[in-house]
Amino acid sequence: LFTYAQEKPVKIVFDVTSNNTKVHQSTIRHVKAMSKLYPDSKFEVVMYGGAMEMVLKDKSLVAEDMETLAEKDNIEFVICQGTMRRHKADTSQLIKGVNSVPDGILELAQKQQEGWSYIKEGQ
């Protein structure tokens, strides 16, 4: 008979800059699976650059999953305000549950300073 000790909770920040919808879908797949396997851990997806369409209600292929996941206490989705300005997007266009941060790169750096593990999503 084997018993397994509960894993120490982790904090993971995902970096998404791609406009490739396959990257958007794999990011959501990763967050969904990991948050289910590790419910005591925290996950944040930081989107900027080419990833703008990932968070737009009328363009995202992952909008429904993002809305559902964003309702969980341990998952956060954020978009860079600079990216929003460049794309002339405002918060009314964002998927429900997506927040904005002043600077996506700074958000990633701060999370890493706080001990979050960094994952670059790409293809």
Side-chain angles (χ1 to χ4, degrees):
L1 181 67
F2 293 98
T3 58
Y4 295 94
Q6 183 176 354
E7 303 254 344
K8 182 181 175 193
V10 296
K11 298 179 290 188
I12 300 174
V13 62
F14 296 89
D15 175 348
V16 184
T17 59
S18 178
N19 64 359
N20 185 331
T21 56
K22 290 189 184 318
V23 172
H24 302 172
Q25 291 166 327
S26 66
T27 300
I28 295 304
R29 200 169 47 251
H30 296 154
V31 172
K32 190 185 288 188
M34 293 188 77
S35 65
K36 191 173 188 174
L37 287 171
Y38 310 105
D40 296 331
S41 293
K42 293 189 178 299
F43 307 94
E44 181 171 318
V45 179
V46 178
M47 295 152 289
Y48 61 103
M52 187 69 224
E53 288 191 3
M54 185 174 176
V55 300
L56 295 176
K57 287 183 217 177
D58 62 342
K59 300 210 174 173
S60 179
L61 297 182
V62 293
E64 194 174 311
D65 281 332
M66 284 179 76
E67 271 190 40
T68 302
L69 290 168
E71 291 174 3
K72 297 181 179 227
D73 291 337
N74 64 334
I75 300 173
E76 188 164 5
F77 294 98
V78 299
I79 183 74
C80 171
Q81 291 170 6
T83 296
M84 289 178 66
R85 280 192 299 278
R86 279 192 307 285
H87 289 270
K88 297 176 177 36
D90 64 58
T91 55
S92 70
Q93 295 169 279
L94 299 179
I95 294 165
K96 184 179 176 209
V98 174
N99 297 308
S100 66
V101 292
D103 186 285
I105 294 170
L106 184 61
E107 178 75 6
L108 291 166
Q110 288 172 332
K111 290 293 181 196
Q112 288 176 83
Q113 282 180 336
E114 295 167 10
W116 288 61
S117 297
Y118 170 87
I119 302 296
K120 173 67 178 169
E121 289 283 354
Q123 202 165 13

